[in-house]
Amino acid sequence: MVLSETDNYKKMAAESAVNTYIEDGMTVGLGTGSTAAYAIKRLGERVSEEELALTCVSTSEQSTALGKSCGLKVVPFEDVGRIDVTIDGADEINLLLQLIKGLGGALLREKIIAAATDFEVIIADRSKFVDELGFTVPLPVEVLRFGHEHTGLALKKLGCSPKLRMNGNDVFVTDGGNYIYDCKFEGIEKPYFLESGINNIPGVIENGLFLNLASVALIADGNGVETFKVP
Ligand code: 5RP
């Protein structure tokens, strides 16, 4: 199958991450999304070619299924202690390695897994790299179903236009059984300030700002894969 240019960059970043950071015996976090899927497939190849003994935990039902189909040992999160390395995608990344995640709907588990990870590797094509968060994509916020209309109104007061995420004619439901409001801001100048404002709203379960969780970002484009570290 011929890959589009963007898919080719996603694959380059994903394969570079797996080849560089994964070692025998590690506990590995599987990300979610189209870029993370390339990493999961490459992990499967390395496990079968090099007989690596990896234990994996997953950020979504979708990645669990893909991991198992690639021959990975995917265990429940409660069965592991710390995670050595997680490889995950992102929707936006800035130079401080602050992220917006969750357009794939897995932000809650992704954040829990990232927080339990010693070395979080973010992989993406260059289009995800931005000067300021919040201009190109909405910020996903996972909310409890109960009273979600009120939660949405409270989110709006923070200066965004929140939209309840749909899946065709139905409301989109996360792996945790919750709803998501996609909150479009015209840029997020003060991400920590916004994060605490969002987290103070009753009914909010998690937000898609990942501010202090990425260890490195591997960004691919026509020139190859560039590694960014927190300055
Ligand atoms: C899922 C995510 C994904 O990592 C993010 O949406 C990027 O996805 P893709 O690699 O398909 O562009 O946060 O919740």
Side-chain angles (χ1 to χ4, degrees):
M1 196 180 76
V2 182
L3 294 182
S4 70
E5 196 171 66
T6 304
D7 274 316
N8 199 31
Y9 299 153
K10 290 178 180 188
K11 188 166 183 262
M12 281 162 55
E15 295 190 343
S16 171
V18 173
N19 295 343
T20 308
Y21 297 109
I22 301 302
E23 291 168 16
D24 194 21
M26 279 184 164
T27 300
V28 179
L30 307 179
T32 292
S34 56
T35 318
Y38 286 116
I40 294 171
K41 287 174 194 159
R42 179 67 194 133
L43 280 169
E45 283 170 8
R46 284 200 61 196
V47 162
S48 89
E49 286 162 12
E50 301 168 42
E51 296 181 9
L52 297 185
L54 302 180
T55 302
C56 301
V57 292
S58 172
T59 54
S60 64
E61 300 301 327
Q62 186 191 329
S63 293
T64 300
L66 178 63
K68 286 182 176 170
S69 76
C70 292
L72 298 177
K73 179 181 159 200
V74 186
V75 303
F77 182 41
E78 58 268 27
D79 287 5
V80 304
R82 292 292 297 175
I83 299 161
D84 295 305
V85 175
T86 292
I87 302 177
D88 202 354
D91 300 303
E92 280 187 349
I93 307 160
N94 70 13
L95 252 184
L96 299 173
L97 304 196
Q98 297 172 328
L99 320 170
I100 285 182
K101 284 182 56 52
L103 287 193
L107 66 145
L108 176 58
R109 291 190 189 181
E110 287 173 334
K111 201 178 264 191
I112 293 170
I113 297 272
T117 293
D118 290 335
F119 197 79
E120 176 89 5
V121 182
I122 299 301
I123 48 175
D125 65 278
R126 177 75 61 175
S127 70
K128 307 284 186 67
F129 210 58
V130 297
D131 290 334
E132 185 177 323
L133 297 177
F135 275 111
T136 65
V137 296
L139 175 67
V141 178
E142 184 156 345
V143 304
L144 204 66
R145 292 190 201 196
F146 178 82
H148 73 88
E149 297 90 345
H150 291 267
T151 313
L153 286 174
L155 286 167
K156 192 170 179 190
K157 289 190 186 149
L158 296 177
C160 64
S161 356
K163 265 196 185 158
L164 182 62
R165 191 178 296 184
M166 302 297 290
N167 181 13
N169 289 330
D170 301 322
V171 180
F172 175 86
V173 178
T174 67
D175 282 349
N178 307 306
Y179 289 166
I180 288 181
Y181 275 93
D182 288 311
C183 300
K184 186 68 186 80
F185 290 87
E186 293 311 317
I188 298 174
E189 238 178 276
K190 295 179 178 164
Y192 282 102
F193 185 72
L194 176 63
E195 184 180 45
S196 79
I198 293 173
N199 289 346
N200 277 335
I201 298 173
V204 165
I205 294 170
E206 194 49 86
N207 70 83
L209 284 168
F210 285 50
L211 300 181
N212 201 10
L213 292 167
S215 308
V216 289
L218 270 56
I219 306 294
D221 63 14
N223 294 318
V225 180
E226 194 175 351
T227 303
F228 292 84
K229 296 187 176 150
V230 182

Short mmCIF file of all heavy atoms in Angstrom, two decimals, residues 61-87:
data_model
loop_
_atom_site.label_atom_id
_atom_site.label_comp_id
_atom_site.label_asym_id
_atom_site.label_seq_id
_atom_site.Cartn_x
_atom_site.Cartn_y
_atom_site.Cartn_z
N GLU A 61 -9.05 0.62 24.20
CA GLU A 61 -9.49 -0.71 23.76
C GLU A 61 -8.96 -0.98 22.35
O GLU A 61 -8.55 -2.09 22.01
CB GLU A 61 -11.02 -0.81 23.77
CG GLU A 61 -11.67 -0.58 25.13
CD GLU A 61 -11.20 -1.54 26.20
OE1 GLU A 61 -10.92 -2.70 25.86
OE2 GLU A 61 -11.11 -1.14 27.37
N GLN A 62 -8.99 0.08 21.53
CA GLN A 62 -8.53 -0.02 20.14
C GLN A 62 -7.04 -0.44 20.07
O GLN A 62 -6.67 -1.36 19.32
CB GLN A 62 -8.70 1.37 19.53
CG GLN A 62 -8.45 1.57 18.08
CD GLN A 62 -8.43 3.09 17.79
OE1 GLN A 62 -9.11 3.89 18.42
NE2 GLN A 62 -7.62 3.47 16.84
N SER A 63 -6.21 0.19 20.88
CA SER A 63 -4.78 -0.15 20.85
C SER A 63 -4.51 -1.50 21.51
O SER A 63 -3.57 -2.19 21.14
CB SER A 63 -3.96 0.95 21.54
OG SER A 63 -4.04 2.11 20.76
N THR A 64 -5.34 -1.87 22.48
CA THR A 64 -5.20 -3.21 23.07
C THR A 64 -5.41 -4.26 21.98
O THR A 64 -4.63 -5.21 21.84
CB THR A 64 -6.25 -3.43 24.20
OG1 THR A 64 -6.03 -2.45 25.19
CG2 THR A 64 -6.13 -4.81 24.82
N ALA A 65 -6.49 -4.08 21.20
CA ALA A 65 -6.80 -5.05 20.14
C ALA A 65 -5.68 -5.09 19.10
O ALA A 65 -5.23 -6.17 18.68
CB ALA A 65 -8.14 -4.70 19.49
N LEU A 66 -5.20 -3.90 18.70
CA LEU A 66 -4.13 -3.86 17.70
C LEU A 66 -2.86 -4.52 18.25
O LEU A 66 -2.21 -5.32 17.57
CB LEU A 66 -3.85 -2.41 17.27
CG LEU A 66 -2.73 -2.23 16.26
CD1 LEU A 66 -3.06 -2.93 14.93
CD2 LEU A 66 -2.44 -0.75 16.01
N GLY A 67 -2.52 -4.19 19.50
CA GLY A 67 -1.32 -4.76 20.11
C GLY A 67 -1.37 -6.28 20.14
O GLY A 67 -0.41 -6.96 19.75
N LYS A 68 -2.51 -6.80 20.58
CA LYS A 68 -2.64 -8.27 20.65
C LYS A 68 -2.54 -8.88 19.25
O LYS A 68 -1.91 -9.92 19.06
CB LYS A 68 -3.96 -8.65 21.32
CG LYS A 68 -3.92 -8.40 22.83
CD LYS A 68 -5.22 -8.82 23.50
CE LYS A 68 -5.09 -8.63 25.02
NZ LYS A 68 -6.37 -8.79 25.72
N SER A 69 -3.15 -8.20 18.26
CA SER A 69 -3.10 -8.76 16.90
C SER A 69 -1.68 -8.71 16.33
O SER A 69 -1.35 -9.44 15.41
CB SER A 69 -4.08 -8.04 15.97
OG SER A 69 -3.56 -6.79 15.61
N CYS A 70 -0.83 -7.85 16.90
CA CYS A 70 0.57 -7.77 16.46
C CYS A 70 1.47 -8.69 17.29
O CYS A 70 2.70 -8.63 17.18
CB CYS A 70 1.08 -6.34 16.57
SG CYS A 70 0.32 -5.20 15.41
N GLY A 71 0.87 -9.47 18.18
CA GLY A 71 1.65 -10.44 18.96
C GLY A 71 2.23 -9.87 20.24
O GLY A 71 3.12 -10.48 20.85
N LEU A 72 1.75 -8.70 20.68
CA LEU A 72 2.27 -8.12 21.92
C LEU A 72 1.54 -8.68 23.12
O LEU A 72 0.35 -9.01 23.04
CB LEU A 72 2.11 -6.60 21.89
CG LEU A 72 2.86 -5.86 20.78
CD1 LEU A 72 2.54 -4.37 20.82
CD2 LEU A 72 4.36 -6.08 20.90
N LYS A 73 2.28 -8.77 24.24
CA LYS A 73 1.64 -9.19 25.49
C LYS A 73 1.08 -7.93 26.15
O LYS A 73 1.84 -7.08 26.64
CB LYS A 73 2.70 -9.85 26.39
CG LYS A 73 2.19 -10.31 27.72
CD LYS A 73 3.36 -10.92 28.51
CE LYS A 73 3.07 -10.93 29.99
NZ LYS A 73 4.28 -11.06 30.79
N VAL A 74 -0.25 -7.79 26.09
CA VAL A 74 -0.90 -6.60 26.66
C VAL A 74 -1.62 -7.02 27.94
O VAL A 74 -2.49 -7.89 27.90
CB VAL A 74 -1.91 -5.97 25.66
CG1 VAL A 74 -2.45 -4.65 26.22
CG2 VAL A 74 -1.27 -5.75 24.30
N VAL A 75 -1.21 -6.41 29.06
CA VAL A 75 -1.78 -6.82 30.35
C VAL A 75 -2.57 -5.66 30.94
O VAL A 75 -2.38 -4.50 30.55
CB VAL A 75 -0.66 -7.25 31.34
CG1 VAL A 75 0.18 -8.38 30.75
CG2 VAL A 75 0.23 -6.07 31.73
N PRO A 76 -3.47 -5.95 31.91
CA PRO A 76 -4.19 -4.84 32.56
C PRO A 76 -3.22 -3.90 33.27
O PRO A 76 -2.20 -4.34 33.81
CB PRO A 76 -5.09 -5.57 33.57
CG PRO A 76 -5.18 -6.98 33.09
CD PRO A 76 -3.89 -7.27 32.41
N PHE A 77 -3.57 -2.64 33.27
CA PHE A 77 -2.71 -1.61 33.87
C PHE A 77 -2.42 -1.91 35.34
O PHE A 77 -1.32 -1.68 35.83
CB PHE A 77 -3.41 -0.25 33.70
CG PHE A 77 -2.65 0.93 34.22
CD1 PHE A 77 -1.28 1.04 34.03
CD2 PHE A 77 -3.31 1.95 34.88
CE1 PHE A 77 -0.57 2.15 34.51
CE2 PHE A 77 -2.63 3.06 35.35
CZ PHE A 77 -1.26 3.15 35.17
N GLU A 78 -3.42 -2.47 36.04
CA GLU A 78 -3.22 -2.72 37.47
C GLU A 78 -2.18 -3.82 37.73
O GLU A 78 -1.71 -3.99 38.86
CB GLU A 78 -4.55 -3.04 38.19
CG GLU A 78 -5.32 -4.23 37.64
CD GLU A 78 -6.34 -3.83 36.57
OE1 GLU A 78 -6.13 -2.80 35.90
OE2 GLU A 78 -7.34 -4.56 36.40
N ASP A 79 -1.81 -4.56 36.69
CA ASP A 79 -0.82 -5.63 36.86
C ASP A 79 0.62 -5.12 36.84
O ASP A 79 1.55 -5.89 37.07
CB ASP A 79 -0.95 -6.68 35.74
CG ASP A 79 -2.20 -7.54 35.92
OD1 ASP A 79 -2.98 -7.25 36.85
OD2 ASP A 79 -2.39 -8.48 35.12
N VAL A 80 0.82 -3.85 36.47
CA VAL A 80 2.20 -3.35 36.38
C VAL A 80 2.41 -2.22 37.39
O VAL A 80 1.44 -1.59 37.84
CB VAL A 80 2.55 -2.83 34.96
CG1 VAL A 80 2.32 -3.91 33.92
CG2 VAL A 80 1.79 -1.57 34.61
N GLY A 81 3.67 -1.97 37.71
CA GLY A 81 4.00 -0.82 38.57
C GLY A 81 4.26 0.36 37.66
O GLY A 81 3.38 0.82 36.93
N ARG A 82 5.50 0.85 37.65
CA ARG A 82 5.85 1.94 36.73
C ARG A 82 5.97 1.41 35.30
O ARG A 82 6.22 0.22 35.09
CB ARG A 82 7.18 2.57 37.13
CG ARG A 82 7.16 3.32 38.43
CD ARG A 82 6.35 4.58 38.40
NE ARG A 82 6.85 5.59 37.47
CZ ARG A 82 6.21 6.73 37.22
NH1 ARG A 82 5.04 6.99 37.80
NH2 ARG A 82 6.71 7.62 36.39
N ILE A 83 5.80 2.30 34.35
CA ILE A 83 5.97 1.97 32.93
C ILE A 83 7.30 2.59 32.50
O ILE A 83 7.57 3.76 32.81
CB ILE A 83 4.80 2.55 32.11
CG1 ILE A 83 3.48 1.95 32.60
CG2 ILE A 83 5.00 2.33 30.63
CD1 ILE A 83 2.26 2.74 32.22
N ASP A 84 8.14 1.82 31.82
CA ASP A 84 9.46 2.36 31.43
C ASP A 84 9.31 3.44 30.36
O ASP A 84 9.82 4.55 30.50
CB ASP A 84 10.36 1.23 30.90
CG ASP A 84 10.70 0.24 32.00
OD1 ASP A 84 11.21 0.67 33.04
OD2 ASP A 84 10.40 -0.96 31.82
N VAL A 85 8.66 3.06 29.25
CA VAL A 85 8.53 3.98 28.11
C VAL A 85 7.12 3.88 27.55
O VAL A 85 6.61 2.78 27.35
CB VAL A 85 9.53 3.62 26.99
CG1 VAL A 85 9.31 4.49 25.75
CG2 VAL A 85 10.97 3.75 27.46
N THR A 86 6.50 5.03 27.30
CA THR A 86 5.24 5.05 26.54
C THR A 86 5.49 5.82 25.25
O THR A 86 6.17 6.85 25.26
CB THR A 86 4.11 5.72 27.36
OG1 THR A 86 3.80 4.89 28.46
CG2 THR A 86 2.85 5.93 26.51
N ILE A 87 4.95 5.30 24.15
CA ILE A 87 5.08 5.99 22.86
C ILE A 87 3.67 6.35 22.40
O ILE A 87 2.82 5.49 22.19
CB ILE A 87 5.77 5.10 21.81
CG1 ILE A 87 7.16 4.68 22.32
CG2 ILE A 87 5.89 5.83 20.48
CD1 ILE A 87 7.91 3.73 21.39
#
